[in-house]
Amino acid sequence: QAQMSTFSAGDVGLTMDDCPHWLKPRVEAAFARALGSLRPAEIPAEEGGLVAQRVRIHSLTGRADLNGHHGWVVRFSEEKGRYQTKVESDAGESVLLRPANLEVAADSEDDSPALTLLDVFKTVSGARRNLFHQRALDWIDRWQMVLCDRSRQNSAAFRVTHSMQNDDRHPGRAALLGLPTSDRLLDDLAENECIVQFFAVWGIAERIACWWGNRSHARNQLAEWYEAEGDFAAAEPLYALVYEQSRAGSPHEAASFADRGHSPIRERCMYINNYALCLKRQKLYARAIQLYREAVKMPGCPPVIRQNLAQCEMQVNKPTVGHVTYVPPEAAAALKMTDEADSAARDRIKELGNDAFRRSRFDEAIRMYTSALAVDDAAPVAEKATPAERSKLLSNRAAAAYGHDDYDSAAADAATATEIDPSNAKAWYRLGLAESFRPLRGQPRDPAVEALLQAIELEPDSGLLRSSLAEVQARRTKEEEQAARELPPNAIDIGACRFGDTPLGRLDRLVGTEGLEAVTANNGWLRGVYEAAALWHTGLRDCQAFRRAGVDVRREAMHKLPAGSAQWAAGTGAGRELFSVRAVDVLRPMSDAVFRCDEADICCPMLAWLEGKQYNNVQTMHALNGLGQLLRSKGAIIDIAITSPESPTKPPLSDAELCRALLALDLTKPDECEKVELTLRFGCLMYYVMQRLAQSSEDEEGEVGGGAKMLFLLIAYLKRILSVRNLCVYAAHRTLAGGARVRPLEQHVAEHQLCATHQLFLKHGDAAASVELMHTAIAALRASGDAAARLARALEESYAANQYYSAALKSTRLPDEAFDEGMDLRQLESESSLQTWLLWAAEAFPRDPRFLMKLATHIYGLAVHGLSERCVELPGERRRVAPTVADAHRLYLRAAELAEASLLPPSEGEPPPTAHLPVRYWWEAANSLAASNGSDSRGVELRRVRELAARAEAATAMLRIFNIEEQRNQTNTAVKMVLDATKGRLGTQKLTRAEHRRLTRDVLEADPHTIRQAVAKYYADAPQRPVPKRMAGLPDVGPGWIPGAAVPKVGEAAVPRVG
């Protein structure tokens, strides 16, 4: 006997009223099939075939009063040949009637199909004839078993859809995968609905629970079928139905989960995940994010939900702005966020935007506010926002744009907001802030000041408004003073560029007065700066011999003359022996200068003083162009340029030609070793110069359209340099280290050409073994003669790899629209491929701390975001782990130790390594330690944080000799705030992550403007270091002791200045 249980008649999902309208016809048809199977219609009426039928009584003579009434046939009496019929009347009497007095009638419309089916089942199973009783039992078992078997078969078929990408989902895909038809799945769903309602009317809680879960499963299967066909809109209501009924919290659903041994929270989270994924595939991100956030609030939410939420938020937080020029967010049609159009949806999406803004996710906030405005545009008149509400939306979007330093868009939105609602003080305030960072365009009155005055008029008691006005007025005064000294375009203010007032000039004076050894005795980084500057100035001085040839190259390119014609006419052809120095003796010092110190901008200035003369950046560029022309004409380097005088859009060597040349290298020949070495050196040197020029051009012109184009070209050039490097390592592996040819790798290069950088492993498909073989190949080069050893040192230089990561990371933050249509964006890295690339670089260049630091920063960001999926790899570990702040701290610590090691004197016979300033690494290590919560999750001892901060302070002393203050950034400010707040506590006491977050929230988690204000506020009372007076009245003739020996102290014999 089945256990009986009471239930609420209004329980969601148990009646025909709760059935979706589009499914009701199929459910009614399923009930009709069930009734047909259960009733013994094939048995003649004279033998009991009318059992469980609703009948109409007619032709009675003795009881004529019953004629025309309807009744229910309960059983058949074989002895009397009559039917026991229960008459539908107030009396409800039961009579025995002959078959001739009964005719089959339609079932009662007052009863639900489920109730009718239950009456039939009970009647048939309760009949005294064994035939009828067994028929009922067989029917109910068969009905359930057939449906269960088919559901299991469908589940196996649908597994292939779980890993399908969106591009693979299209009409006809279900048939190709061998999935059941939609009609079959709809019928199965209708049958499940029938069974649930049948047992609900019967009141058997155990069976209701079982089939409740089966029905949800059938709904999900039908939704998956629609998704396989790419019809996400059809799948959405099915997922929504499962989700809504799950939210209702039916006890039958809870019993279903318990019967299957499933966690209710997990199952409901997965229902939400299915629904949200369907919305996400339709780009209805606002609704999807709401669902995911609802799920992550549940205790025990599966990690995959958090991961999907993070991915969804990444989609809406994709860059909407460039570094200088604004790129508007996608139109509502391209990124709908939602398909709703009412005031409730507008307010809900606005709150999502507010939440994103509070978390400094400005791209996401911009999209949300834009979507809310689009919803308001599409809403009916009665649902539209009031002027004040719409003004707030525009003002909020202006704040988000301002947070991105996108002042043009912020000003435009804020101005529109003030037009709609002139009483919106926040809009006037944001308009003033945005206008304060925009250049004045001949307006008689300053729009920033005017806007802030208007805001103060609306809110006269606001101290924030008055302080902002004072700050803007002070900045405008400073700008006016600078404008009074403005020079014509492209001119160089020599007076503002006095060498003696630069950091390098101060170092030069110290070396001249104190001596080199005294200045750099305990400061390896300062020695690296000095040595790099000496190499740069020596090489740049000698490079001026090639400047005329560089001018000719420039003239040929501008006037599209044949290569060499201008040089020949001027008598400066690179093919003639007109130079007093060897090009190689110029290239090596200049490239070594770029490699020697991590702050090449200090050591290698484009504006240089040489032997009392000043050379600007244009003259320096002409000199390097002439150097390159000489090297190419002599065949001393491989031409890896990305353009040529003959064709500004095509390189001299195509990708395929360059790959063939590199794969054919024979590094047993010294000439070929030197050729590749000089190619790498010249490529890095030219990239440094191009990057400096592009940087100054962006700073002066402030346009990102051109900036994106230049960035694309720089990335393409770096990719060529890295490909030369990696294919040269492969050649060394094959020709010197005794490695076999790697056919898959060569085929990969032939197919992808220069699209590959870190993919060029020596052992195809085995990254770990490939890195080891890479170092083995370079070691073999180092032992194969002087030329090969010089090439090995060039291969170990990480400058190009470091610059490639920085440029590629910058490109991921630009929208696709910033690049020209003719650019192949597939050449750019994605965020995921860049993470893999960074791991490769950290292992390929193990002595460079910058890659470890960048990898640590990436892991720290993921950990702070709360991502718990195994999504990162650590150097030396070929397995994915979940990101933690502790892992980031270990990497920061390793990076700091590498930076310190780079400052030690090199071993005898070894070239000095790149000098890295350790201060930034120690601050990051201290901050990550403070945020790590300790190994026992109870906090970290304060003494350990203080020790790392002390090492950072000691490293800062390396800068003070230049009179350069340490960079007042988020990290060191956060650490100092923690130390100040805990200075009264014992070192053995612990600092928890929660306390660290509370103390540093304003400088680590706020929007950029708030962070700047918080940092400035922290240092407002700090004592300022005195700025040395300018060298007024003294001739500024450039370095006196860079390069060259230190001059003696006053009173000793003078040493002639060389430089």
Side-chain angles (χ1 to χ4, degrees):
Q1 291 292 325
Q3 294 180 353
M4 305 293 291
S5 174
T6 59
F7 66 95
S8 170
D11 199 351
V12 176
L14 292 178
T15 67
M16 198 68 166
D17 293 337
D18 300 315
C19 180
H21 65 88
W22 44 267
L23 190 61
K24 281 185 178 179
R26 289 183 181 266
V27 176
E28 290 170 354
F31 271 120
R33 289 194 300 272
L35 287 168
S37 300
L38 187 55
R39 281 170 168 155
E42 74 281 1
I43 300 175
E46 292 76 12
E47 300 177 10
L50 295 182
V51 171
Q53 291 281 7
R54 187 169 182 260
V55 295
R56 179 178 173 273
I57 303 171
H58 65 90
S59 305
L60 290 178
T61 56
R63 292 292 305 272
D65 59 309
L66 296 179
N67 289 334
H69 281 70
H70 290 83
W72 185 264
V73 177
V74 177
R75 65 184 183 85
F76 179 66
S77 175
E78 296 181 6
E79 296 83 3
K80 299 179 181 180
R82 295 193 177 208
Y83 287 99
Q84 182 180 345
T85 306
K86 187 176 181 180
V87 182
E88 295 178 1
S89 64
D90 293 339
E93 62 179 313
S94 181
V95 295
L96 289 173
L97 300 176
R98 293 193 301 268
N101 297 115
L102 302 174
E103 65 179 8
V104 177
D107 290 321
S108 174
E109 295 182 357
D110 295 335
D111 295 335
S112 67
L115 183 57
T116 301
L117 182 61
L118 178 61
D119 288 341
V120 172
F121 176 77
K122 287 184 175 180
T123 301
V124 175
S125 61
R128 294 180 179 177
R129 291 183 60 181
N130 288 335
L131 173 65
F132 289 169
H133 180 74
Q134 191 60 41
R135 179 191 189 96
L137 297 181
D138 290 346
W139 168 81
I140 196 168
D141 288 342
R142 184 173 62 253
W143 195 23
Q144 297 181 78
M145 293 302 298
V146 169
L147 206 52
C148 287
D149 290 343
R150 197 152 56 229
S151 176
R152 281 191 289 269
Q153 293 171 4
N154 292 346
S155 296
F158 274 102
R159 287 195 186 97
V160 298
T161 68
H162 297 167
S163 59
M164 285 173 59
Q165 301 298 319
N166 282 0
D167 294 342
D168 297 330
R169 302 175 185 271
H170 53 75
R173 186 65 175 172
L176 293 174
L177 294 174
L179 302 181
T181 64
S182 59
D183 283 337
R184 177 71 270 174
L185 293 171
L186 280 164
D187 287 340
D188 285 351
L189 178 56
E191 296 279 354
N192 275 277
E193 193 75 44
C194 286
I195 296 178
V196 170
Q197 294 184 25
F198 173 72
F199 284 118
V201 173
W202 199 349
I204 304 180
E206 179 186 356
R207 292 287 86 197
I208 298 173
C210 173
W211 284 97
W212 185 288
N214 291 349
R215 183 181 61 178
S216 297
H217 191 57
R219 287 170 177 170
N220 284 331
Q221 283 186 346
L222 180 58
E224 289 174 7
W225 188 93
Y226 285 127
E227 287 195 305
E229 292 283 297
D231 192 354
F232 304 117
E236 180 187 340
L238 288 160
Y239 288 133
L241 187 60
V242 175
Y243 163 71
E244 292 295 344
Q245 291 195 353
S246 179
R247 281 190 70 189
S250 168
H252 304 296
E253 182 183 62
S256 172
F257 294 150
D259 289 346
R260 298 163 185 258
H262 294 171
S263 163
I265 294 295
R266 179 178 179 82
E267 290 300 312
R268 285 170 184 156
C269 285
M270 297 315 296
Y271 290 161
I272 292 175
N273 186 50
N274 291 341
Y275 187 16
L277 274 175
C278 185
L279 294 171
K280 178 182 165 187
R281 286 165 178 157
Q282 299 175 76
K283 297 188 176 180
L284 303 177
Y285 293 111
R287 293 171 60 193
I289 288 174
Q290 279 184 300
L291 289 169
Y292 280 133
R293 289 180 180 172
E294 177 186 335
V296 298
K297 291 178 182 177
M298 298 181 184
C301 173
V304 68
I305 303 292
R306 298 183 183 277
Q307 182 180 357
N308 287 347
L309 172 60
Q311 291 174 352
C312 201
E313 288 179 336
M314 286 170 62
Q315 287 293 326
V316 298
N317 199 39
K318 289 190 304 185
T320 58
V321 298
H323 291 277
V324 183
T325 302
Y326 179 65
V327 179
E330 301 91 333
L335 195 64
K336 295 186 295 183
M337 297 290 180
T338 183
D339 51 3
E340 302 161 295
D342 53 52
S343 59
R346 180 193 65 236
D347 294 341
R348 190 169 62 251
I349 296 172
K350 175 189 171 184
E351 284 306 313
L352 288 175
N354 293 344
D355 179 69
F357 181 81
R358 283 191 290 268
R359 294 187 295 150
S360 302
R361 297 173 66 88
F362 300 118
D363 296 297
E364 182 179 338
I366 288 171
R367 282 192 175 88
M368 291 300 177
Y369 293 137
T370 303
S371 179
L373 289 166
V375 169
D376 187 58
D377 291 337
V381 176
E383 298 274 348
K384 284 190 178 295
T386 64
E389 291 171 337
R390 190 167 180 88
S391 176
K392 286 180 181 178
L393 278 172
L394 287 164
S395 176
N396 289 353
R397 190 168 72 174
Y402 179 82
H404 254 320
D405 298 333
D406 174 22
Y407 308 121
D408 291 340
S409 294
D413 276 344
T416 306
T418 58
E419 292 172 7
I420 295 175
D421 181 15
S423 65
N424 189 340
K426 278 190 177 180
W428 286 109
Y429 166 65
R430 288 161 180 167
L431 176 60
L433 290 182
E435 288 289 0
S436 71
F437 288 96
R438 301 175 76 202
L440 294 172
R441 297 174 175 83
Q443 301 100 317
R445 300 171 70 87
D446 188 343
V449 174
E450 291 295 307
L452 289 171
L453 287 173
Q454 184 65 36
I456 292 173
E457 183 178 337
L458 292 169
E459 294 185 5
D461 298 331
S462 173
L464 173 64
L465 294 178
R466 294 187 181 278
S467 63
S468 298
L469 176 61
E471 182 182 337
V472 169
Q473 289 174 330
R475 188 163 65 247
R476 289 302 196 201
T477 302
K478 184 177 180 180
E479 290 172 356
E480 289 172 0
E481 293 174 354
Q482 291 177 347
R485 302 193 302 268
E486 192 78 25
L487 294 176
N490 300 325
I492 297 176
D493 185 0
I494 299 298
C497 298
R498 291 173 55 86
F499 177 79
D501 298 320
T502 64
L504 203 57
R506 297 189 192 107
L507 176 61
D508 182 66
R509 292 202 307 276
L510 284 171
V511 170
T513 56
E514 302 292 334
L516 178 62
E517 292 302 324
V519 172
T520 64
N522 298 313
N523 198 327
W525 183 76
L526 204 59
R527 177 175 287 276
V529 171
Y530 173 83
E531 291 175 357
L535 290 168
W536 178 262
H537 284 83
T538 300
L540 192 57
R541 178 195 60 198
D542 295 338
C543 191
Q544 297 303 318
F546 311 120
R547 184 152 52 90
R548 178 64 198 181
V551 172
D552 292 339
V553 171
R554 176 68 174 167
R555 183 181 295 114
E556 291 170 0
M558 291 181 61
H559 299 286
K560 299 182 179 179
L561 300 174
S565 59
Q567 297 179 24
W568 188 268
T572 57
R576 303 187 178 193
E577 296 292 339
L578 300 176
F579 308 107
S580 57
V581 293
R582 291 179 67 233
V584 172
D585 295 334
V586 174
L587 175 58
R588 284 191 175 125
M590 293 190 73
S591 56
D592 281 337
V594 174
F595 300 155
R596 181 65 181 89
C597 182
D598 61 346
E599 296 290 344
D601 292 0
I602 294 178
C603 320
C604 309
M606 294 293 292
L607 179 65
W609 289 261
L610 303 168
E611 297 184 324
K613 296 180 182 179
Q614 289 176 324
Y615 293 86
N616 61 32
N617 52 0
V618 176
Q619 293 169 316
T620 299
M621 190 68 192
H622 285 327
L624 291 173
N625 277 336
L627 172 64
Q629 178 65 12
L630 176 63
L631 292 169
R632 283 189 291 268
S633 67
K634 295 289 187 179
I637 61 174
I638 303 171
D639 195 351
I640 61 172
I642 52 178
T643 61
S644 64
E646 290 76 18
S647 176
T649 60
K650 293 182 180 180
L653 290 177
S654 67
D655 291 353
E657 291 170 339
L658 182 57
C659 285
R660 283 196 296 271
L662 294 170
L663 289 172
L665 286 174
D666 183 4
L667 297 183
T668 59
K669 298 178 179 179
D671 290 343
E672 294 208 14
C673 289
E674 185 176 65
K675 187 174 186 177
V676 179
E677 177 217 348
L678 298 181
T679 299
L680 291 171
R681 287 180 175 276
F682 185 74
C684 292
L685 179 60
M686 287 304 296
Y687 175 81
Y688 171 76
V689 174
M690 289 190 298
Q691 181 257 345
R692 288 291 304 275
L693 293 177
Q695 195 174 38
S696 62
S697 175
E698 277 190 12
D699 292 342
E700 293 171 5
E701 300 175 8
E703 51 175 75
V704 150
K709 180 179 180 181
M710 177 57 71
L711 180 63
F712 185 89
L713 294 176
L714 291 176
I715 290 174
Y717 190 62
L718 282 169
K719 190 166 288 188
R720 289 196 147 217
I721 297 173
L722 287 172
S723 296
V724 170
R725 185 257 180 206
N726 290 336
L727 288 174
C728 179
V729 171
Y730 170 65
H733 159 76
R734 184 169 48 84
T735 59
L736 297 176
R741 296 180 72 94
V742 183
R743 297 295 182 185
L745 183 144
E746 295 184 12
Q747 183 179 358
H748 178 80
V749 172
E751 292 174 358
H752 297 273
Q753 298 175 358
L754 297 186
C755 296
T757 50
H758 65 282
Q759 295 95 334
L760 295 178
F761 295 119
L762 304 182
K763 191 170 183 181
H764 198 67
D766 188 348
S770 298
V771 172
E772 181 180 351
L773 291 175
M774 184 186 304
H775 295 311
T776 302
I778 294 176
L781 265 176
R782 196 180 295 112
S784 299
D786 293 340
R790 286 193 296 268
L791 173 58
R793 286 196 292 271
L795 295 176
E796 289 176 319
E797 289 295 344
S798 58
Y799 175 81
N802 186 64
Q803 295 298 319
Y804 179 80
Y805 176 82
S806 300
L809 181 63
K810 186 177 180 182
S811 73
T812 63
R813 295 172 178 168
L814 290 176
D816 293 348
E817 294 81 5
F819 299 91
D820 293 344
E821 292 182 359
M823 298 179 183
D824 186 3
L825 299 186
R826 292 175 299 177
Q827 301 289 332
L828 301 177
E829 299 278 355
S830 65
E831 290 185 1
S832 59
S833 67
L834 202 55
Q835 178 185 346
T836 307
W837 191 94
L838 186 58
L839 181 66
W840 169 83
E843 296 179 340
F845 305 100
R847 294 197 300 174
D848 193 324
R850 289 172 289 190
F851 297 114
L852 287 178
M853 182 176 180
K854 290 165 183 173
L855 188 59
T857 301
H858 174 70
I859 293 173
Y860 182 93
L862 294 178
V864 169
H865 261 77
L867 196 65
S868 59
E869 280 294 297
R870 298 178 181 271
C871 58
V872 296
E873 290 184 19
L874 301 178
E877 299 182 22
R878 291 295 164 182
R879 60 185 181 89
R880 287 188 174 273
V881 297
T884 64
V885 177
D887 286 335
H889 168 66
R890 283 191 288 273
L891 291 177
Y892 279 133
L893 202 57
R894 278 180 57 190
E897 291 167 354
L898 285 175
E900 292 277 11
S902 72
L903 307 182
L904 299 175
S907 303
E908 186 175 354
E910 288 290 324
T914 302
H916 296 280
L917 187 63
V919 58
R920 70 194 71 173
Y921 302 94
W922 287 120
W923 281 124
E924 291 288 356
N927 180 64
S928 58
L929 176 63
S932 67
N933 217 27
S935 58
D936 59 357
S937 299
R938 296 181 179 179
V940 62
E941 290 185 353
L942 284 168
R943 64 177 179 79
R944 295 178 59 197
V945 180
R946 291 167 182 168
E947 288 170 1
L948 293 180
R951 299 196 71 166
E953 289 286 359
T956 305
M958 299 180 185
L959 290 171
R960 292 190 180 127
I961 198 168
F962 285 151
N963 204 67
I964 300 176
E965 284 291 337
E966 64 180 294
Q967 291 184 347
R968 293 174 173 178
N969 56 28
Q970 295 172 266
T971 305
N972 55 16
T973 305
V975 176
K976 290 180 179 180
M977 291 172 74
V978 170
L979 295 179
D980 287 348
T982 59
K983 60 185 177 183
R985 290 159 59 177
L986 296 176
T988 55
Q989 290 183 287
K990 292 193 174 183
L991 175 76
T992 65
R993 182 179 299 170
E995 185 180 5
H996 173 270
R997 186 179 183 188
R998 176 176 59 80
L999 294 172
T1000 63
R1001 183 179 287 111
D1002 288 342
V1003 294
L1004 293 182
E1005 298 181 15
D1007 61 273
H1009 179 68
T1010 305
I1011 289 173
R1012 286 194 294 268
Q1013 288 184 330
V1015 172
K1017 180 180 178 181
Y1018 178 80
Y1019 288 102
D1021 299 327
Q1024 301 295 319
R1025 290 177 59 83
V1027 178
K1029 296 181 180 180
R1030 291 171 61 90
M1031 302 286 290
L1034 297 177
D1036 197 281
V1037 293
W1041 294 271
I1042 298 176
V1047 297
K1049 297 288 182 69
V1050 177
E1052 298 180 16
V1055 178
R1057 177 170 52 83
V1058 260

